[in-house]
Every structure is written in structure tokens, then in C-alpha cells.
């Protein structure tokens, strides 16, 4: 049988939404289910989900039941994550995996002295050029990270650049969860759970083991990826903020079931396993899930919906109040990784140095810029570029920002309009790949940003 029919689901029930247009961006054509961490049900054919049980002797429509476990079976119920997929072909129907681009794929999964380098120096990269002739998988490059995928401990930071859609190729990551931050161009992502359209200023989380394929409706694309090897992303605790604020659960969107019946043609399944890439061939689409239910599923979030919390009296609050998602460690209050943003907002603090303060941190800070100009470093920190301030390495606003902040009239006003900067913050010390250290876009003059900060100390004047 040869069929390339992608079957569209019936009209959505009342708990689903279709994304709307923001900031003159194209309308998202797909339908989603709203909520964070919910137990969802979705079927592209009415009655495809079994009633009252997960694995009947024969599933509706002759489908096969398959469980995808995101946590161990015996994890406490409040943290247990899994989904049941009802598909045309069991996913096991593929040929053996073989090495893919061995030694040349640019991905690292073990961060030690054999594979990476380390420096406490502040590092900045100018925008990474978009590679020619590469799709999302072939355009992946690791910037740095910590830990070891085999031990399920640590994290990695990647850059992707691509100018080709994935053609009958699917990617699957056995090593951890991926938080994808598009910076240029939309990503049209097909997953086993349905379709997601992710535009710049949106993020997508695709968990360990979920197969997906990326098309590029706007042509050349670039972005950032945070990968965590242990645990999953969750919403941060709000503490005295209360029940509402920051990223609200209702604004996260999970796809609805949509299946592709294509068979009789070759598909490549590329699997990242212990930092290496492998490929297996199969004669049907991996996106043949007709129905699914569970709480282990990909999702997206529009950063424009973040409800900003800030000081309305004096002082610059700590950036933890800008946390969108966190992957917690075993140490309370300390994260394997936080995803933090610096969105458009009002600033009204009086008698205050308003830019981000000078800082030495017990966490590592990797920053990227989606669009606009970052408030603390206008001019040198550009969209598509990045910076790394390692653990306990000093950092802060540049000389021109300091000069402006110490002399300006402190009127209520707006900051960061038209801008979206973000940070991957981690308890781990990050090591860098040789590719990142030696990249031609590394800004070796970055240190000069602070050298002309005026010294105004006067012991005779308070």
C-alpha cells in the first residue's frame, strides 16, 4: 500500500483552542488542548480510544496499543508521567540501528576533558550563521554542558541552524527532554501526538523518546535548545506570589491526534543515544498514531503570555521571578536548569539602579536573544548570538548602560519593548565544545564591554 494521506481530526471539543495571531505573526493553523501537565485524551477517529481499559484484546479500528513511559512505573502518582498511543504500526517495526554521521555530527553527550574544554572567562558569540544544505538534525551543534547522558545526570546547550525541511526523517532523543527556542523562522513540527507550529517568541518542549520531524515554512531557521538528562520541566513554585502569575498553566498547548497513513516508502528514524546518532529504516510513517491519552506529551508556550512580576517600589528583584519552567534537582530550590526570560514590562523603581545588577553567581548562566536589544548590553549582544557567564565569574551591565542608568531621570516607563532575551541557568558548571570555543563568531573583545565603566569613588563625599 502506498498512501501519503495525513488525516485531519474532527472539529475540536470545547477544551481545545486554535492559536491566534500575535504581533503580526502568521496564524497558527493547528488545534491544541490547553493546560500544563493535564491527563489529555485525543482521537483523530471517533471511538479510537478504548473505553475503560488501555490494552483490549483487539483495539478499535485494528490499532495497536503502545505505552510511552516518561518516568519509572513506581514513581509517586503526582509525578508519574506516561501516555498510551493507539497506532497503525507498532513503533518496533523498523530495521536495526546503525551509526549515523559517526564522529562528525557535532553533538556531545559526555562532558569531560576528552570531549570538551573549560574556561571561567566571560564568553560571547555573535549570531551563528545558518548552514546551507542542512535540516534540523544535521544542523544541531552542541555549545556545552555538564554531566553524562549514560548516568542521566546533567544538561546540554545546543544551537540549531537549518535551511531544509526534514524529508521522511524523524528524530528521537533517548538522552533527555528538549526545550526548543526558535529564534528565526517558524518550526512546523510533526510529532507522534499531533502537530505543533512554533514561531519565534514561542517555545516547544519535546520529551525523551518522542519522535518528531521539523519542516521550515519560512525558509532558513535558527534557534537554541536546552536539554536536561534527568527529570522533566515543570512550572516553578510561586510561594508568596500566590496562585497566579508567571507562566499560567492554561496557556500551555498540547497537540491533538492526527495520523499519517503513508506506507510502502522508506522513512529514516534518527535516534540520539548517549550523545551519538544512530539511524534505522522503516517502510511506513512513524506518525501513524490515531488516538492517545496520558500526561506525557509535547507542548508549546507563547512567551508573550508570561505574567511579569517585579518591584513597584525600589531595587531590582532577583531574576528568578522571570522563571518560565524549571527542572528541579534533588536539592530544594536548586535547579538542574531553569528557563528564564526578560520580557517587555514596566519599570517604576525609585532611587534604584534599574538594569540587572553586577553579579557573581553560584549558577551558570547561558543567555540568548530572540529579538530586539537586551536592556543591559545594547549593540554587542545580538539576536541569534549568545553569551556564557560561568559559575562565580563576574558579569553585569556594560559601560554605556551603567553611564545611562546612573544619570537618567527615574520616571516610570517601559523596558524591553520589542525585545525577548532569555537565560538557561544551571547548578552545573558548563564545559564547552571545541566547536564553540574556536567558532569564528566568538567575540574575543567581549571583555572590553566593562573596561570603561567610570570609577566614581570619592572618599570625601557620601
Amino acid at each position: 500500500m502506498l498512501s501519503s494521506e495525513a488525516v485531519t481530526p474532527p472539529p475540536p471539543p470545547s477544551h481545545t483552542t486554535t492559536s491566534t495571531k500575535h504581533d503580526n505573526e502568521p496564524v497558527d493553523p493547528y488545534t491544541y488542548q490547553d493546560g500544563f501537565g493535564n491527563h489529555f485524551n485525543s482521537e483523530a477517529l471517533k471511538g479510537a480510544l478504548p473505553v475503560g481499559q488501555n490494552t483490549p484484546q483487539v483495539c478499535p479500528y485494528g490499532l495497536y496499543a503502545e505505552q510511552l513511559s516518561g518516568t519509572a512505573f513506581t514513581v509517586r502518582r503526582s509525578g508519574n508521567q506516561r501516555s498510551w498511543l493507539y497506532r497503525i504500526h507498532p513503533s518496533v517495526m523498523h530495521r536495526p540501528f546503525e551509526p549515523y554521521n559517526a564522529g562528525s555530527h557535532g553533538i556531545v553527550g559526555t562532558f569531560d576533558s576528552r570531549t570538551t574544554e573549560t574556561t571561567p572567562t566571560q564568553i560571547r558569540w555573535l549570531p551563528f550563521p545558518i548552514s546551507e544544505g542542512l535540516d534540523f538534525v544535521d544542523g544541531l551543534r552542541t555549545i556545552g554542558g555538564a554531566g553524562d547522558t549514560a548516568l542521566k545526570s546533567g544538561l546540554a546547550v545546543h544551537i540549531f541552524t537549518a535551511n531544509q525541511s526534514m524529508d521522511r526523517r524523524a528524530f528521537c532523543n533517548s538522552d533527555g527532554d528538549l526545550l526548543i527556542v526558535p529564534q528565526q523562522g517558524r518550526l512546523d513540527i510533526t510529532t507522534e501526538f499531533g502537530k505543533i507550529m512554533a514561531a519565534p517568541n514561542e517555545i516547544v518542549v519535546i520529551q525523551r523518546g518522542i519522535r518528531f520531524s521539523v519542516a521550515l515554512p519560512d525558509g532558513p531557521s535558527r534557534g537554541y535548545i536546552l536539554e536536561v538528562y534527568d527529570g522533566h520541566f515543570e512550572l516553578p513554585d510561586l510561594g508568596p506570589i500566590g496562585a497566579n502569575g508567571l507562566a499560567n498553566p492554561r496557556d500551555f498547548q498540547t497537540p491533538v491526534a492526527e495520523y499519517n497513513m503513508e506506507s510502502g516508502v522508506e522513512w529514516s528514524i534518527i535516534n540520539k543515544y548517549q550523545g551519538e546518532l544512530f539511524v534505522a529504516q522503516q517502510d511506513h510513517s512513524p506518525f501513524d498514531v490515531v488516538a492517545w491519552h496520558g500526561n506525557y506529551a509535547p507542548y508549546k508556550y507563547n512567551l508573550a503570555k508570561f505574567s511579569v512580576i517585579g518591584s513597584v517600589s525600589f531595587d531590582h528583584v532577583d531574576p528568578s521571578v522571570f522563571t518560565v519552567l524549571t527542572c528541579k534537582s534533588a536539592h530544594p530550590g536548586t535547579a538542574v536548569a531553569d528557563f528564564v526570560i526578560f520580557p517587555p514590562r514596566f519599570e517604576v523603581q525609585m532611587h534604584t539602579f534599574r538594569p540587572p545588577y553586577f553579579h557573581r553567581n553560584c549558577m551558570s548562566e547561558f543567555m540568548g536573544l530572540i529579538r530586539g536589544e537586551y536592556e543591559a548590553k545594547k549593540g554587542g549582544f545580538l539576536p541569534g548570538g549568545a553569551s556564557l557567564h560561568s559559575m562565580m565569574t563576574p558579569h553585569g551591565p556594560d559601560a554605556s548602560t551603567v553611564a545611562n542608568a546612573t544619570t537618567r531621570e527615574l520616571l516610570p516607563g517601559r523596558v524591553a519593548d520589542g525585545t525577548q532575551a532569555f537565560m538557561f541557568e544551571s547548578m552545573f558548571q558548563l564545559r564547552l565544545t571545541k566547536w564553540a570555543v574556536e567558532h569564528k563568531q566568538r567575540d574575543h573583545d567581549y571583555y572590553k564591554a566593562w573596561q570603561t565603566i567610570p570609577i566614581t569613588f570619592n572618599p570625601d563625599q557620601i
Side-chain angles (χ1 to χ4, degrees), residues 358-374:
F358 293 102
H359 194 202
R360 287 182 292 166
N361 196 356
C362 64
M363 308 283 276
S364 299
E365 302 181 13
F366 176 91
M367 285 193 64
L369 186 59
I370 298 171
R371 63 189 183 191
E373 289 186 316
Y374 177 50

Side-chain angles (χ1 to χ4, degrees), residues 162-343:
N163 70 343
Q164 292 184 357
S165 298
M166 295 173 66
D167 183 14
R168 291 198 174 95
R169 286 156 53 94
F171 184 57
C172 176
N173 183 22
S174 295
D175 293 335
D177 291 8
L178 302 176
L179 188 157
I180 303 171
V181 185
Q183 184 273 319
Q184 177 178 321
R186 289 175 299 162
L187 304 181
D188 189 350
I189 305 173
T190 300
T191 79
E192 295 175 274
F193 292 79
K195 293 189 173 184
I196 297 174
M197 184 70 75
N201 212 45
E202 294 182 320
I203 61 169
V204 178
V205 171
I206 301 179
Q207 296 92 330
R208 184 194 308 264
I210 296 175
R211 296 176 175 182
F212 66 97
S213 185
V214 178
L216 308 178
D218 301 328
S221 181
R222 174 174 56 205
Y224 313 84
I225 297 177
L226 171 61
E227 178 182 11
V228 292
Y229 299 151
D230 185 18
H232 300 292
F233 290 104
E234 56 187 275
L235 294 173
D237 297 324
L238 294 181
I241 291 174
N244 306 288
L246 308 188
N248 290 306
R250 65 176 297 187
D251 294 325
F252 289 80
Q253 298 181 302
T254 293
V256 297
E258 180 174 330
Y259 64 96
N260 187 333
M261 294 177 58
E262 185 176 61
S263 62
V265 294
E266 286 293 294
W267 273 79
S268 297
I269 311 299
I270 302 167
N271 186 197
K272 186 168 85 69
Y273 181 79
Q274 294 191 30
E276 298 293 340
L277 295 183
F278 299 85
V279 61
Q281 304 298 326
Q282 61 185 50
D283 65 357
H284 58 275
S285 169
F287 306 118
D288 63 355
V289 176
V290 179
W292 63 270
H293 74 85
N295 62 352
Y296 190 65
Y299 55 87
K300 80 166 187 171
Y301 175 73
N302 187 332
L303 302 179
K305 296 183 177 181
F306 187 81
S307 179
V308 181
I309 303 294
S311 172
V312 294
S313 56
F314 60 88
D315 282 354
H316 191 292
V317 295
D318 293 331
S320 51
V321 298
F322 299 124
T323 301
V324 179
L325 292 170
T326 184
C327 178
K328 295 178 179 178
S329 75
H331 308 285
T334 305
V336 171
D338 287 328
F339 175 65
V340 180
I341 63 172
F342 304 98

